[in-house]
Amino acid sequence: MPQNGNITDEHVEILVNDVLEQHGYDFTGYSRASLKRRLARLYTLDKHVSFAEFRYKTLNDNVYFKHFVEGVTVNVTEMFRDPAFYRLLRTKILPSLNTYPFIRIWLAGCSTGEEAYSIAIILKELNLLHKSLIYATDINPTVLEKAASGMFPLSQMKSYSENYIASGGEKEFSSYYTANYSLAKFDTALKAKMIFSTHNLVSDRSFNEFQLILCRNVLIYFDRSLQFSVLQLFDQSLESLGYLALGTKETIDFSPISPVYERVGTDKIWRKKSI
């Protein structure tokens, strides 16, 4: 019986299998070390008295299961995170898509939506937003609800504004939102060019063809086999000469898709070669 969040390897396997069978959420390819840490944290924070209770609530209480998914998946994000990356998007990647009559961007693992709004702001400043659509997906429906609201803590705006300026932004960042008590509500014109939807990178298939796919700091939580599977999904979803952007600790090197991509600059962006 676990004490103080001492979830065992056996408990992890039981929950992974139960959740797949009962709810259809497939965590089998997730890093076991990361899963174990997050399950132990949930167990402790929710003050479960036994693993049996934890397991029962996860399987039978749909409200608790939403909380479970939110706790197991990783939702750390901010607007214009890694400003150098966004500067490269602004100066080189997004302008190169101007020749397309319509620009489709897939943001996989969008979490609470800060990255989607960051990209939309850059598209607007490059006069590309009117012919763009951002598909922002995540496995977690709870964070998607937050993303779709377009509201973020007002207390975060100072650091987001600093990131925006460091990424090459030249306007008043506050012109993109209105203060609503303790929240910043972003311009609905930005949200109008986004589609928020659940998508499971483990089990769901390609659903469109894109010129740019971003999946930053998600693959690090998957084992190598699942990483390769997800990269192949992205490859199937990316047009020839399209771009794939990953997180700072992620790479396509040594993956099956590597031969048909070339690195763009020093950041974690690759371009699919012309076929």
Side-chain angles (χ1 to χ4, degrees), residues 5-242:
N6 184 25
I7 294 289
T8 68
D9 293 341
E10 183 183 3
H11 293 143
V12 174
E13 297 307 317
I14 289 171
L15 280 173
V16 164
N17 291 327
D18 283 350
V19 165
L20 177 58
E21 184 177 338
Q22 181 78 7
H23 297 286
Y25 279 69
D26 191 349
F27 293 109
T28 54
Y30 281 57
S31 160
R32 287 302 186 267
S34 175
L35 266 182
K36 190 174 180 180
R37 283 194 302 272
R38 291 183 169 274
L39 290 171
R41 182 174 179 273
L42 265 182
Y43 182 90
T44 301
L45 287 177
D46 295 343
K47 297 181 170 59
H48 291 291
V49 296
S50 68
F51 174 71
E53 180 198 60
F54 186 23
R55 182 185 182 190
Y56 180 85
K57 285 197 73 174
T58 300
L59 294 185
N60 297 288
D61 185 333
N62 288 333
V63 173
Y64 184 79
F65 180 68
K66 285 182 69 175
H67 168 71
F68 174 90
V69 172
E70 191 166 7
V72 169
T73 53
V74 181
N75 300 300
V76 179
T77 185
E78 61 185 58
M79 294 191 76
F80 298 95
R81 186 181 185 186
D82 302 327
F85 169 81
Y86 281 96
R87 184 179 286 272
L88 181 60
L89 279 187
R90 176 187 292 274
T91 59
K92 187 169 184 178
I93 307 302
L94 291 175
S96 75
L97 301 180
N98 190 32
T99 55
Y100 290 93
F102 193 75
I103 302 168
R104 291 182 301 276
I105 297 170
W106 181 13
L107 178 52
C110 71
S111 187
T112 45
E114 284 86 341
E115 192 166 20
Y117 285 88
S118 302
I119 294 166
I121 286 171
I122 296 177
L123 286 168
K124 184 175 177 62
E125 294 183 1
L126 293 174
N127 197 30
L128 295 174
L129 186 62
H130 68 282
K131 65 170 186 174
S132 301
L133 196 57
I134 300 169
Y135 295 78
T137 66
D138 202 280
I139 190 177
N140 185 343
T142 303
V143 297
L144 286 171
E145 289 172 13
K146 294 178 183 176
S149 74
M151 293 190 287
F152 305 101
L154 198 58
S155 59
Q156 299 289 338
M157 292 306 111
K158 183 177 184 295
S159 64
Y160 290 177
S161 177
E162 291 169 355
N163 286 351
Y164 164 75
I165 293 167
S167 72
E170 297 178 350
K171 296 190 177 182
E172 286 290 332
F173 186 64
S174 59
S175 67
Y176 289 110
Y177 65 85
T178 54
N180 187 357
Y181 298 102
S182 63
L183 296 171
K185 183 172 177 57
F186 276 76
D187 188 347
T188 54
L190 300 175
K191 180 183 169 184
K193 305 303 291 185
M194 305 175 193
I195 295 175
F196 292 101
S197 178
T198 55
H199 184 277
N200 188 336
L201 290 171
V202 179
S203 57
D204 292 341
R205 297 181 180 181
S206 175
F207 58 93
N208 212 323
E209 196 168 35
F210 301 92
Q211 289 87 39
L212 171 62
I213 298 176
L214 303 100
C215 184
R216 304 176 67 222
N217 307 307
V218 175
L219 296 183
I220 51 174
Y221 299 102
F222 298 165
D223 64 27
R224 175 157 292 202
S225 175
L226 181 53
Q227 287 178 7
F228 287 174
S229 174
V230 172
L231 287 173
Q232 287 177 315
L233 169 66
F234 291 154
D235 182 56
Q236 294 162 10
S237 307
L238 198 62
E239 281 192 8
S240 179
L241 298 178

